[in-house]
Amino acid sequence: MLRKLLPPDEWLLPVTVLVGMIVGLGFYVLHLSKAVSYLSDDPATCINCHVMTTEYVTWNHSAHRNVATCNDCHVPHDNILNKYYFKAKDGLYHASVYTLRAEPQAITMRKPSEHVVQNNCIRCHANQVTDAKMTDWVASHEESRFGRKCWECHRDTPHGRVKSLSSVELNVEPLSIKQQQKEFIPSWIKDQLKK
């Protein structure tokens, strides 16, 4: 049975080399894209793509930084399978958009993400959403608390107002210590400068 799957003897070496190249290229792409980092909840992973720098910096300067990561808001938390399915689906979308250089000027949520973020707002802020005192303080609270998106009123939470590719230069994230220790000037340029 296994013999039927193998190519003829004269094709065995070229097929083995080709399969090895494809597998090697696959691992190289996984390494370049930092694919393993996307399995974590580290917010710095989101700035693997430069277009997310503005979102990262605005979150990093918000009150949410102390209590929530990107995944706390942008990934479902009903079960672990749904969490990683959503991350994979969203990640493939992002990877294809960035690879094709088709990213929008202003980053906005897509419909599936809106539903997830809304549910996570309510999950974390259930006390505020169901607080009876809020009904007295805000006239439209009773009818608005579940019928509207949280960011219709709280639009600056946690990302602020400035969110576009053209504003990235105003929101430069400082290099981490590990990145600062890297040598960014190639040695051949340093050698040329010494001459």
Side-chain angles (χ1 to χ4, degrees):
M1 176 92 170
L2 182 62
R3 185 69 185 148
K4 289 181 182 179
L5 295 175
L6 294 176
D9 289 338
E10 61 271 6
W11 284 92
L12 191 57
L13 180 64
V15 168
T16 304
V17 169
L18 182 63
V19 168
M21 289 172 54
I22 291 170
V23 169
L25 185 61
F27 279 116
Y28 182 67
V29 168
L30 287 175
H31 171 72
L32 278 182
S33 68
K34 302 175 186 171
V36 175
S37 68
Y38 293 102
L39 298 174
S40 74
D41 285 337
D42 181 10
T45 299
C46 296
I47 56 174
N48 283 347
C49 300
H50 74 281
V51 297
M52 296 304 290
T53 302
T54 305
E55 281 70 18
Y56 177 80
V57 170
T58 53
W59 164 82
N60 200 24
H61 296 317
S62 76
H64 275 79
R65 175 190 72 197
N66 298 322
V67 293
T69 65
C70 305
N71 286 332
D72 288 327
C73 296
H74 293 279
V75 175
H77 292 278
D78 51 354
N79 68 55
I80 195 156
L81 293 176
N82 195 25
K83 174 182 178 176
Y84 283 102
Y85 169 73
F86 189 87
K87 282 181 83 163
K89 183 177 71 164
D90 218 37
L92 286 173
Y93 167 76
H94 287 125
S96 60
V97 166
Y98 301 143
T99 301
L100 297 172
R101 301 299 314 208
E103 61 269 3
Q105 277 294 312
I107 305 291
T108 56
M109 283 187 284
R110 298 180 312 138
K111 289 292 180 195
S113 295
E114 284 183 7
H115 178 71
V116 168
V117 171
Q118 178 70 12
N119 286 342
N120 286 330
C121 287
I122 292 170
R123 178 178 58 86
C124 289
H125 297 285
N127 292 339
Q128 290 94 339
V129 174
T130 57
D131 188 359
K133 291 182 278 184
M134 283 297 287
T135 305
D136 293 336
W137 296 341
V138 181
S140 63
H141 178 70
E142 187 65 38
E143 59 271 0
S144 297
R145 62 185 178 161
F146 294 115
R148 295 170 64 184
K149 304 286 187 218
C150 296
W151 53 90
E152 288 180 30
C153 296
H154 305 279
R155 72 188 72 216
D156 294 343
T157 305
H159 293 297
R161 291 189 183 272
V162 181
K163 298 182 290 189
S164 72
L165 285 178
S166 59
S167 68
V168 170
E169 66 185 7
L170 304 174
N171 292 304
V172 176
E173 181 62 16
L175 295 174
S176 69
I177 291 173
K178 188 185 287 185
Q179 289 172 317
Q180 289 174 9
Q181 293 171 349
K182 285 184 181 176
E183 192 61 49
F184 288 102
I185 301 174
S187 58
W188 65 271
I189 292 179
K190 284 184 176 180
D191 294 342
Q192 289 296 321
L193 292 173
K194 289 178 185 176
K195 292 181 182 180

